[in-house]
Amino acid sequence: MSLFKAVGDGLILCKLINDSVPETIDERVLNKTNLNPFKIIENQTLCINSAKSIGCNVVNIGHQDLVEGKTHLVLGLMWQIIKIGLFSKITLANHPELYRLLEDGETIEDFLKLPVEQILLRWVNYHLKNAGHPKRIKNFTGDIKDSEAYTVLLNQIAPQQCDKKGLSESDVNKRAGLVIENADKIGCKKFVTAKDIVKGNQKLNLAFVANLFNNFPGLAPVEAPPQIEETREEKTFRNWMNSLGVDPFVNNLYEDLRNGVVLLQLFEKVQPGILDNKRVNWNPPNTYKKLENDNYAIELGKQLNFSLVGIQGKDILDANKTLTLSVLWQLMRFNILNILNKLGGGKKISDPEIIAWANDKNKSIGRKITSFHDPSLKDGIFILELINAVRAGAIDNSLIERGDDAKSHLLNAKLALSSARKIGAVVFALPEDITEVKNKMIMTIVASLMAIDLGAQ
């Protein structure tokens, strides 16, 4: 069976997502047996919405494209999933020893601005330098075709298993074959063949090197490094932005928003036509032009009636975390409510109306919530019942945990998120957002379910 036929039922792609970002999908909700067209579409819908939740841009991909195995769309989605999984581990939180790669006079803030590809290039060159080898690489295409850099790199990170015999081999194809043999010795024979190396396939070689780094960084530990770890809220906003297809891809939330380019793209994506391109500096050459972008973004926020008292463009430029998050939350909220408004015939829908809708849907279970802060939401049952009310039979009731303990609550939360995505809801929240009753994320879940309900009417 070819790859493109194999992905037709959605199971392989869902498992790939979980391999890249563990526990994104609660596999209890997957349709695995007695598959029919409806069950297959449910799997593919779950796949697409879960891919969005980890930051994949799937704007032009529908479930039927995956069912039919459309080559370029399947390959594009698979690459995004794999890349996100590989790159997510290459952070200072996971690898504080990355501090070893800082250059003279470079601050950690400067380092955080680097795309992951640049960090990996620097990592390879760091090992080439330590080996006393003259070669340096600037890309994962032409510069790696001769396999010299790979031969030295493998010997540096795993000297006991990987030799440098390849350097004395004049045939580049045979030398690439020796690289693959060495990689296989350390369990890293993934993503590339000798032919891919010689041809300089950029994506496959980038994946190969990222996998090498994740398994054998070969960097000495650093003493008491400062802790820099992305919060759940930051991760949620970053994944939401990337799912919309902003360019460049957002790796570091605050640094990547400072010049205003991504922020202005977001305003155009949530309210098409709002942006005056003549006022945008798409490649701001200096601080002044970056600030112009940020000020314009705040101006647009005011046009959309955002609450921006005390927030200026300079706060975005200065990477003020609290105020940047405030702008992003209002953008995300506007995006969700805008969808609801359109489905509701143009009528603006408020939080109390969303809550009233949810309570009305769940009236049969005799349980109500008073707000998105309601502590009873922590067990996940209200949301699970709401999903069932929106799409009858969407939840296997035997899977709902009735125990009043943290483990039961978390299992229900995982079940709720995957089930919501399976019926078509675009949800970026994490299970802990439900168990800890994070009101903003709870609101997005309920509003997304309301959108599904209104769309079906």
Side-chain angles (χ1 to χ4, degrees):
M1 183 185 291
S2 74
L3 169 65
F4 305 105
K5 285 185 178 179
V7 302
D9 62 11
L11 294 174
I12 287 178
L13 288 174
C14 284
K15 287 185 178 294
L16 181 63
I17 290 170
N18 270 357
D19 185 65
S20 284
V21 183
E23 298 189 12
T24 298
I25 295 172
D26 186 335
E27 295 196 13
R28 292 178 296 171
V29 310
L30 287 172
N31 299 318
K32 299 177 182 177
T33 58
N34 301 319
L35 293 178
N36 56 40
F38 176 74
K39 288 185 176 181
I40 288 172
I41 287 174
E42 280 191 329
N43 282 348
Q44 298 291 19
T45 301
L46 173 61
C47 168
I48 289 171
N49 288 330
S50 298
K52 286 181 183 178
S53 78
I54 64 171
C56 293
N57 174 23
V58 293
V59 173
N60 297 314
I61 303 176
H63 55 72
Q64 197 59 36
D65 297 318
L66 301 181
V67 171
E68 294 173 8
K70 291 186 178 177
T71 305
H72 66 291
L73 296 177
V74 170
L75 289 177
L77 179 57
M78 289 183 73
W79 168 241
Q80 286 191 76
I81 295 168
I82 290 168
K83 182 180 176 183
I84 285 170
L86 288 170
F87 284 14
S88 67
K89 302 175 181 71
I90 305 173
T91 64
L92 284 164
N94 290 323
H95 292 283
E97 65 272 20
L98 279 168
Y99 278 88
R100 299 288 181 197
L101 304 184
L102 264 67
E103 295 177 347
D104 291 342
E106 187 175 38
T107 65
I108 190 59
E109 287 74 20
D110 295 328
F111 186 78
L112 287 172
K113 295 175 187 176
L114 295 175
V116 176
E117 183 173 354
Q118 291 298 317
I119 292 174
L120 290 172
L121 286 169
R122 190 178 289 193
W123 174 67
V124 174
N125 288 329
Y126 173 90
H127 283 299
L128 292 175
K129 180 181 178 181
N130 281 0
H133 197 273
K135 188 178 182 72
R136 300 291 182 271
I137 66 170
K138 296 180 180 178
N139 54 62
F140 291 112
T141 52
D143 287 359
I144 51 82
K145 285 182 176 181
D146 62 9
S147 293
E148 278 191 26
Y150 284 166
T151 301
V152 176
L153 173 65
L154 286 164
N155 179 252
Q156 282 292 110
I157 61 176
Q160 301 300 318
Q161 300 99 324
C162 302
D163 55 48
K164 293 192 287 186
K165 286 193 298 185
L167 296 179
S168 59
E169 173 58 65
S170 58
D171 186 308
V172 292
N173 291 293
K174 290 181 179 178
R175 189 186 301 151
L178 291 172
V179 166
I180 297 300
E181 286 180 18
N182 275 335
D184 193 27
K185 291 175 187 175
I186 58 174
C188 291
K189 184 186 172 183
K190 274 187 177 182
F191 302 111
V192 294
T193 62
K195 186 183 292 186
D196 296 321
I197 295 174
V198 175
K199 284 188 174 182
N201 185 300
Q202 192 267 346
K203 289 180 178 177
L204 296 180
N205 279 284
L206 177 58
F208 175 63
V209 173
N211 186 53
L212 284 176
F213 174 86
N214 284 327
N215 287 282
F216 293 89
L219 299 171
V222 293
E223 293 182 11
Q227 294 299 308
I228 301 177
E229 192 164 2
E230 185 177 47
T231 67
R232 287 207 314 270
E233 187 177 23
E234 291 164 353
K235 181 179 181 180
T236 297
F237 286 134
R238 187 172 57 77
N239 286 340
W240 170 68
M241 289 186 283
N242 287 328
S243 78
L244 294 176
V246 294
D247 186 21
F249 190 89
V250 177
N251 290 302
N252 182 280
L253 186 65
Y254 306 105
E255 286 296 327
D256 292 352
L257 261 60
R258 290 183 62 200
N259 67 9
V261 172
V262 168
L263 203 53
L264 289 171
Q265 288 178 55
L266 287 172
F267 275 100
E268 180 63 20
K269 287 181 183 296
V270 304
Q271 183 72 343
I274 194 172
L275 205 62
D276 180 355
N277 278 290
K278 294 177 182 177
R279 294 188 59 184
V280 181
N281 303 296
W282 290 115
N283 294 291
N286 52 48
T287 300
Y288 177 74
K289 292 297 182 183
K290 293 175 184 176
L291 184 58
E292 274 190 350
N293 282 347
D294 293 330
N295 285 332
Y296 183 34
I298 298 302
E299 183 183 320
L300 293 178
K302 290 177 179 177
Q303 284 183 36
L304 298 180
N305 296 316
F306 287 5
S307 176
L308 298 171
V309 177
I311 302 178
Q312 302 175 351
K314 191 173 184 302
D315 297 314
I316 307 298
L317 184 67
D318 292 343
N320 182 301
K321 293 186 177 183
T322 301
L323 300 183
T324 299
L325 288 175
S326 174
V327 174
L328 288 176
W329 161 242
Q330 292 183 78
L331 273 165
M332 187 184 209
R333 174 184 166 80
F334 180 88
N335 187 38
I336 295 167
L337 291 179
N338 210 22
I339 294 169
L340 278 178
N341 295 342
K342 289 176 182 176
L343 290 170
K347 176 181 175 291
K348 287 190 175 182
I349 295 175
S350 64
D351 283 14
E353 288 172 298
I354 298 171
I355 292 168
W357 166 84
N359 285 333
D360 182 62
K361 276 287 176 183
N362 268 353
K363 61 185 177 184
S364 63
I365 65 169
R367 188 167 171 179
K368 289 187 175 183
I369 57 171
T370 55
S371 70
F372 296 123
H373 291 278
D374 196 312
S376 70
L377 286 161
K378 69 179 181 180
D379 64 9
I381 294 176
F382 184 89
I383 296 173
L384 285 167
E385 295 290 0
L386 184 59
I387 294 167
N388 242 347
V390 171
R391 181 73 54 81
I395 305 295
D396 179 349
N397 288 324
S398 69
L399 296 177
I400 299 178
E401 299 287 338
R402 302 291 174 178
D404 190 19
D405 57 274
K407 183 180 178 182
S408 296
H409 296 171
L410 189 61
L411 283 170
N412 284 342
K414 290 177 178 179
L415 181 64
L417 292 180
S418 288
S419 298
R421 290 170 184 146
K422 184 178 177 181
I423 68 168
V426 181
V427 176
F428 292 88
L430 296 168
E432 293 81 3
D433 294 325
I434 295 175
T435 60
E436 296 174 16
V437 194
K438 297 295 183 182
N439 66 298
K440 290 178 180 178
M441 291 300 108
I442 295 279
M443 176 268 173
T444 65
I445 297 168
V446 178
S448 295
L449 290 170
M450 184 177 181
I452 296 298
D453 190 45
L454 290 176
Q457 293 175 9

